[in-house]
Amino acid sequence: MDYQQDFAKEVYEKVDSGAEIKVCMQCGVCASTCPLREKMKYSPRKLWTLIRAGRRQEVLNCPDIMLCTSCYTCKVRCPRGIPVIDVMHGLAHYALEKGITPREETKKFGEAFWDSIYETGRVDEATVPIKYCLKDGMIAGLKKSLSMLDIGMALMKAKRLTPKLFIPPNFFIPGSHKIKGLKDLQKMLDKAKAMGARKEG
Amino acid sequence: MHAARMTNGQEGTREVSYYPGCSLEATARDYAESVAGAAELLGIKLNEVPDWNCCGATAAHSLDHRVTLNLAARNLALAAGRPQPVVVPCALCFNRLKSAQAELMADGAAVIPEIAELGGNYGEAQVVELNSFFSAGWALEKARSLKKRDLTGLKAVCYYGCQGQRPPAITGHPAPENPTGLDRLLKALGAQVLDWPYKTDCCGASHSVPRPDIVHTLVARLYERALAAGANCLVTGCQMCQANLDLYQEQIAQEMGRPVYLPVFYFTELIGLALGHPQAGRWLDRHMTSPRPLLASVGLAL
Ligand code: SF4
Ligand code: SF4
């Protein structure tokens, strides 16, 4: 079992909002109000305990930290005013930075969104699922998109999605509208990313 | 409260800025059309923020913080100096823009030069969620006076979800645990509005693609409570909530082992229905769970 004495200190110092959990009184309000409690292995409250106990591997590899739907209930209801959601996101970012990806699918989904924003300035909801599926490679991607086909077909029938979702894996689909200021936006995204990397590196 | 600009000439017309967000251009086109329709009926001119970009919300969680902040900053800069408020139909965009605005006001230095060059004042945009704008006193009065028919027979539970009210320090929502805007609007339209405890619970949001099991569990819980309250429909002002509640209804009902028939309306569609918009039927035909049988059964057939 991993025990790393200084893990709590690491979290307080390096994780966004990490220091806030110092005042947690273990009341369990976050655990009982989190809608995902039954889908989590632990709960925010228990994760804080594991952090205090120095269980570094267990916390940073725990899928729970990337499960949060950002519903903000915990942040509103924690009697100690701890921004639980921010700590969860902070831990997820920190784990990613350290090269740990606790939940591959969420990470890939995020990357697919990023690609869309970078290429057009907006999120194209028809291409994001394709890209998301393809992050696993072609075969797995096709399987995954087939499992979404029912909903996709129905959406198409209801004219809520354009058929390009079903154009077989073709990354650059003409007609996705790009914003006018795209070049500047990309420059800015590159810079913002570089600044982020400098700060973190 | 909303200092919308009254334009000259047309009596009672308000001009506001409009930030539609990406979803309304894609899977939520039905919402987009009903927003336009409802605005027209209520005499609101929606002036789209020119060349807006993605607000970064959906992926915020997995993107670098600085990136999402800059994405929002560009939009806020573009919205400055335009008609106020800036109404936002998507709860996620609303939340993201408000959060970024608070942060930018506290620390302007976080913005990169390209954005700063847009010359914007990030604090100027008054970002308002569309459903709270449409449920302000003046809008209710107008809806009441223009109403062609009462939505009698609709037993609605209003579902507000997460991002429109939480966290209150950012959204400025006066009653984050018990919002009532949609309730008041629906009452003004003549529907029966029921109380229920799950107004602001989570629908699972963007987990619908990577983790459908999560959405199914949360949505099943919402159906149970809505049915227990005696509702025959749900009303929402968020396209993510609408999609999660509408798209998988048949499958989730199967998993629940009980029949569920709960059409999920956008409040804008119901404005169209009560005020007699000619396109209202077309909007409703884009739902997966067709509202037509319900409307027919209560004498509101289109
Ligand atoms: S609600 Fe706040 S104080 Fe209570 S256990 Fe959760 S984080 Fe700790
Ligand atoms: S914001 Fe995340 S951690 Fe907090 S209650 Fe919601 S899902 Fe749970």
Side-chain angles (χ1 to χ4, degrees):
Chain A
M1 184 126 327
D2 80 290
Y3 282 104
Q4 236 163 291
Q5 290 261 312
D6 48 3
F7 181 49
K9 198 164 164 255
E10 182 182 345
V11 169
Y12 299 158
E13 285 171 6
K14 302 214 167 118
V15 172
D16 266 350
S17 306
E20 308 265 0
I21 65 174
K22 284 182 188 168
V23 297
C24 169
M25 59 178 174
Q26 294 285 301
C27 68
V29 167
C30 55
S32 58
T33 56
C34 177
L36 300 180
R37 175 63 195 94
E38 68 196 74
K39 299 281 177 185
M40 288 184 176
K41 181 166 177 209
Y42 304 112
S43 65
R45 181 189 71 79
K46 277 199 189 140
L47 283 171
W48 306 169
T49 312
L50 293 175
I51 290 169
R52 287 171 178 176
R55 303 269 288 275
R56 191 175 191 278
Q57 291 309 316
E58 188 138 9
V59 170
L60 294 183
N61 284 290
C62 180
D64 295 3
I65 62 178
M66 283 187 93
L67 212 57
C68 171
T69 64
S70 305
C71 77
Y72 290 105
T73 317
C74 50
K75 187 168 179 167
V76 172
R77 295 190 185 156
C78 169
R80 281 278 162 94
I82 298 168
V84 179
I85 168 178
D86 300 340
V87 185
M88 294 293 267
H89 290 187
L91 285 168
H93 277 289
Y94 190 65
L96 287 175
E97 258 169 61
K98 295 283 156 199
I100 303 167
T101 52
R103 279 194 59 243
E104 269 301 314
E105 67 269 37
T106 306
K107 180 172 164 273
K108 286 187 189 130
F109 199 47
E111 284 168 356
F113 271 107
W114 164 263
D115 292 349
S116 179
I117 295 171
Y118 196 86
E119 283 154 23
T120 67
R122 294 185 188 169
V123 169
D124 183 338
E125 288 178 330
T127 55
V128 164
I130 302 181
K131 291 182 178 177
Y132 163 65
C133 290
L134 289 175
K135 297 269 172 194
D136 278 339
M138 198 70 103
I139 301 297
L142 281 175
K143 269 197 206 146
K144 213 184 270 177
S145 42
L146 282 178
S147 72
M148 298 196 304
L149 201 62
D150 279 354
I151 293 296
M153 280 299 197
L155 272 176
M156 220 170 88
K157 220 171 77 198
K159 300 201 178 51
R160 279 162 67 165
L161 204 59
T162 37
K164 54 192 172 186
L165 176 58
F166 306 102
I167 297 172
N170 173 351
F171 273 105
F172 294 99
I173 292 155
S176 302
H177 37 214
K178 296 182 177 173
I179 63 164
K180 286 196 222 104
L182 184 62
K183 284 243 162 63
D184 281 343
L185 186 78
Q186 286 176 339
K187 249 191 260 162
M188 162 198 123
L189 291 171
D190 290 337
K191 244 184 229 180
K193 226 179 176 176
M195 280 164 79
R198 258 208 309 284
K199 179 194 142 216
E200 280 144 18
Chain B
M1 187 179 132
H2 302 298
R5 181 195 292 177
M6 305 290 272
T7 49
N8 300 328
Q10 275 168 293
E11 172 61 27
T13 302
R14 284 161 197 259
E15 186 178 357
V16 297
S17 291
Y18 182 55
Y19 176 88
C22 304
S23 286
L24 272 80
E25 294 205 318
T27 49
R29 285 213 303 256
D30 49 346
Y31 186 25
E33 286 171 19
S34 68
V35 168
E40 189 191 320
L41 289 165
L42 293 174
I44 299 161
K45 186 161 184 287
L46 299 175
N47 190 324
E48 192 166 322
V49 174
D51 208 38
W52 58 270
N53 57 269
C54 169
C55 72
T58 326
H61 192 146
S62 14
L63 289 180
D64 180 88
H65 175 72
R66 207 173 289 263
V67 171
T68 51
L69 187 69
N70 277 280
L71 283 169
R74 181 173 180 274
N75 291 318
L76 291 168
L78 292 172
R82 305 192 57 85
Q84 299 296 334
V86 181
V87 296
V88 182
C90 166
L92 281 90
C93 296
F94 165 75
N95 196 294
R96 184 82 274 281
L97 293 175
K98 289 287 272 188
S99 306
Q101 191 172 38
E103 201 178 322
L104 289 163
M105 296 311 285
D107 176 19
V111 172
I112 63 167
E114 273 79 356
I115 298 268
E117 274 165 25
L118 290 173
N121 168 359
Y122 311 112
E124 199 182 315
Q126 298 166 40
V127 181
V128 173
E129 209 194 358
L130 188 83
N131 78 55
S132 66
F133 185 67
F134 275 29
S135 53
W138 62 266
L140 299 187
E141 253 167 61
K142 206 151 184 186
R144 255 185 232 111
S145 69
L146 295 170
K147 184 167 58 178
K148 298 252 164 56
R149 57 176 171 178
D150 276 311
L151 301 181
T152 318
L154 290 189
K155 296 179 195 162
V157 285
C158 296
Y159 179 56
Y160 298 80
C162 310
Q163 310 284 317
Q165 40 281 321
R166 286 191 297 266
I170 294 294
T171 62
H173 201 289
E177 298 276 25
N178 186 22
T180 52
L182 289 178
D183 294 53
R184 277 180 280 127
L185 175 62
L186 267 286
K187 275 179 206 155
L189 299 177
Q192 184 186 347
V193 179
L194 304 163
D195 271 331
W196 73 317
Y198 277 34
K199 272 184 171 178
T200 61
D201 277 57
C202 175
C203 71
S206 58
H207 278 311
S208 53
V209 176
R211 283 289 299 271
D213 61 303
I214 288 181
V215 170
H216 290 200
T217 305
L218 300 185
V219 170
R221 223 180 267 165
L222 297 171
Y223 291 158
E224 294 281 3
R225 284 303 188 128
L227 292 169
N232 59 15
C233 64
L234 285 139
V235 181
T236 177
C238 167
Q239 78 291 343
M240 183 86 83
C241 297
Q242 202 279 343
N244 282 350
L245 287 159
D246 178 44
L247 294 185
Y248 320 103
Q249 194 163 116
E250 214 179 293
Q251 200 181 337
I252 296 172
Q254 260 169 32
E255 289 165 14
M256 289 164 72
R258 64 176 290 185
V260 175
Y261 174 55
L262 285 168
V264 189
F265 292 106
Y266 289 113
F267 68 97
T268 41
E269 293 172 332
L270 294 177
I271 294 175
L273 207 59
L275 275 59
H277 196 284
Q279 298 294 323
R282 228 184 71 188
W283 309 332
L284 298 178
D285 286 337
R286 293 208 170 147
H287 291 215
M288 284 285 275
T289 306
S290 171
R292 284 191 185 267
L294 168 67
L295 294 176
S297 74
V298 297
L300 291 170
L302 278 164

